[in-house]
């Protein structure tokens, strides 16, 4: 037996998404069927929309899903129909990195998250004209029903606003985790966040929760600088009008102890390094493609500065998503301040709004 679902399907590289009916297989014994309530739109999704090759299509994207368990396979334990859940990235659970607790560096990460299929090459999704590639980040949550693995699933309190929680599985996890897991700043320390999108604002809120004394945000958009101040930034800088590194050195009296690059542009990464004190650490979470060469002064690094790449906030979702929700309920991670919802039928409008910077975090929602 299978179930009919509404899904946003990418059928042409760079094209509009087609919102259409598709069919989802029943979950296998080790899988779970989830009814998606909300799913975030992330920069990673948009990158695939723009660059997908013909052999990847048709494809259902989406990897910031939240929803309700609809059915569980016979081998699944700890989950039951009706559970409220957030979905995060896929990992094998068997390789050396997974067994060591660093599943964000799973040896099969690329295949499981970007392969467009299960590990065995099959897909649970199809339409009247054939199979649809899915299982994006193990979920493809731009579909109302998804087949996923228990490893992707984190149970959450049913009293929480479920349709808003999906971005905790990637974007907000990435920004908050870069601060709380990777950098782990001490109270009273200084930090600079480059770009105030959802990832950067999550980093700002996490820095405030960690007790950072100076939280400097660099972003060209006045509205986002204002929102950053409301969410915990102590200073904001406009890179189009100010000498960013000079201003940071003056604010911090010699450089910041930490920085977070949320763009991955070579010029921004260089500024995020040059603004550091000695010692200092820059966490780079921005992504501009796998081939992204950049140059910086190695002598600057030699004096106790370092650059570290961060994937998924260096987070184990099963422990970090509950931690973020504790902060949210305590008023310290109010990510709902920058989430805007769109019905799935308006997903192309949501994507355009994200491209134009009209929304910080767009989330598409599904009716019952």
């Amino acid at each position: 037996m299978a179930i009919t679902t509404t899904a946003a399907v990418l059928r042409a590289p760079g094209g509009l998404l087609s919102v259409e009916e598709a069919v989802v297989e029943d979950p296998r014994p080790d899988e779970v069927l989830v009814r998606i309530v909300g799913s975030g739109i992330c920069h990673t999704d948009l990158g695939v929309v723009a660059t997908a090759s013909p052999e990847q299509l048709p494809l259902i994207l989406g990897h910031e899903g939240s929803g309700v368990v609809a059915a569980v396979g016979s081998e699944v334990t700890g989950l039951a129909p009706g559970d409220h859940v957030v979905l995060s990235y896929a990992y094998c659970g068997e390789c050396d990195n997974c067994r060591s607790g660093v599943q964000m560096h799973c040896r099969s990460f690329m295949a499981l998250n970007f392969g467009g299929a299960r590990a065995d090459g099959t897909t649970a999704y199809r339409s009247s004209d054939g199979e649809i590639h899915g299982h994006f980040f193990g979920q493809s949550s731009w579909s109302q029903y998804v087949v996923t693995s228990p490893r992707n699933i984190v149970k959450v309190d049913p009293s929480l606003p479920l349709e808003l929680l999906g971005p905790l599985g990637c974007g907000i996890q990435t920004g908050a985790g870069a601060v709380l897991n990777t950098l782990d700043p001490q109270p009273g320390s200084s930090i600079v966040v480059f770009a105030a999108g959802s990832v950067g604002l999550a980093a700002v809120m996490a820095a405030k929760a960690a007790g950072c004394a100076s939280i400097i945000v660099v972003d060209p958009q006045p509205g986002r600088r204002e929102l950053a101040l409301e969410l915990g930034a102590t200073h904001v800088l406009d890179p189009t009008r100010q000498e960013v590194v000079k201003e940071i050195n003056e604010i911090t009296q010699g450089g910041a102890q930490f920085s977070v690059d949320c763009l991955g542009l070579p010029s921004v990464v260089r500024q995020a390094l040059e603004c550091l004190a000695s010692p200092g650490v820059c966490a780079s979470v921005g992504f501009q493609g796998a081939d992204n060469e950049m140059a910086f002064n190695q002598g600057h690094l030699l004096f106790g500065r370092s650059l570290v790449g961060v994937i998924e906030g260096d987070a184990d979702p099963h422990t970090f998503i509950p931690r973020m929700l504790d902060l949210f309920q305590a008023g310290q991670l109010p990510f709902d301040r920058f989430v805007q919802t769109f019905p799935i039928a308006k997903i192309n409008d949501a994507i355009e709004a994200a491209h134009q910077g009209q929304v910080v975090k767009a989330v598409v929602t599904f009716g019952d």
Side-chain angles (χ1 to χ4, degrees):
M1 190 176 175
I3 189 168
T4 300
T5 186
T6 299
V9 183
L10 179 66
R11 292 191 171 273
L16 296 176
L17 297 172
S18 171
V19 180
E20 58 189 70
E21 282 194 352
V23 174
V24 184
E25 295 176 359
D26 282 348
R28 293 176 176 178
D30 60 348
E31 293 179 330
V32 180
L33 180 71
V34 176
R35 177 176 62 82
I36 298 296
V37 173
S39 181
I41 292 175
C42 178
H43 177 78
T44 303
D45 297 306
L46 302 183
V48 176
V49 169
T51 64
S53 59
E55 59 268 23
Q56 291 177 279
L57 304 178
L59 171 65
I60 303 172
L61 292 162
H63 66 286
E64 293 184 339
S66 58
V68 180
V69 172
V72 299
S74 59
E75 297 174 3
V76 174
T77 60
L79 292 167
D83 286 343
H84 286 210
V85 296
V86 171
L87 308 185
S88 194
Y89 61 87
Y91 57 95
C92 74
E94 299 174 354
C95 69
D96 56 338
N97 282 342
C98 287
R99 292 196 305 270
S100 298
V102 288
Q103 53 266 52
M104 71 292 301
H105 299 297
C106 173
R107 302 295 183 186
S108 299
F109 187 92
M110 291 302 295
L112 292 175
N113 289 280
F114 291 93
R118 297 180 175 102
D120 65 3
T122 63
T123 176
Y125 307 89
R126 67 180 187 273
S127 65
S128 58
D129 58 358
E131 291 185 340
I132 304 175
H133 295 288
H135 308 277
F136 188 65
F137 277 69
Q139 51 181 283
S140 286
S141 55
W142 291 354
S143 170
Q144 187 173 24
Y145 285 89
V146 304
V147 168
T148 187
S149 163
R151 288 187 295 274
N152 284 70
I153 296 176
V154 179
K155 285 201 296 187
V156 298
D157 186 334
S159 69
L160 294 167
L162 187 58
E163 69 178 15
L164 305 183
L165 302 186
L168 292 171
C170 184
I172 296 172
Q173 174 172 264
T174 296
V179 174
L180 297 177
N181 296 328
T182 309
L183 298 178
D184 192 21
Q186 295 299 307
S189 57
S190 55
I191 189 168
V192 186
V193 177
F194 287 81
S198 60
V199 174
L201 291 174
V204 168
M205 294 184 293
K208 182 180 180 182
C212 292
S214 295
I215 304 171
I216 305 166
V217 171
V218 181
D219 195 285
Q221 294 191 38
R224 294 198 176 187
R225 294 197 301 272
E226 181 179 349
L227 183 55
L229 287 169
E230 293 174 8
L231 293 175
T234 58
H235 304 78
V236 292
L237 300 174
D238 180 353
T240 68
R241 300 171 62 90
Q242 295 170 280
E243 294 182 40
V244 169
V245 174
K246 179 182 177 181
E247 294 285 346
I248 293 169
N249 280 326
E250 290 180 359
I251 292 168
T252 59
Q253 298 182 333
Q257 292 161 281
F258 303 100
S259 65
V260 182
D261 150 57
C262 301
L263 290 174
L265 294 171
S267 60
V268 174
V269 175
R270 182 164 185 151
Q271 287 180 328
L273 281 169
E274 291 177 346
C275 77
L276 291 174
S278 176
V281 183
C282 169
S284 182
V285 305
F287 183 66
Q288 295 292 327
D291 296 319
N292 185 22
E293 293 188 6
M294 55 188 67
F296 47 83
N297 185 347
Q298 188 254 355
H300 189 69
L301 295 183
L302 286 177
F303 287 90
R305 302 176 182 91
S306 59
L307 171 66
V308 58
V310 181
I311 186 76
E312 294 291 349
D314 284 339
D316 171 1
H318 295 275
T319 57
F320 194 63
I321 288 176
R323 182 181 178 188
M324 289 189 289
L325 286 171
D326 286 344
L327 290 171
F328 172 70
Q329 291 179 295
Q332 294 183 290
L333 197 75
F335 58 86
D336 56 327
R337 290 280 307 279
F338 55 73
V339 173
Q340 183 173 337
T341 60
F342 296 76
I344 187 63
K346 298 287 187 181
I347 189 170
N348 290 304
D349 294 339
I351 289 173
E352 182 62 19
H355 276 310
Q356 298 299 324
Q358 297 168 350
V359 298
V360 176
K361 171 56 73 173
V363 169
V364 292
T365 59
F366 295 85
D368 293 335

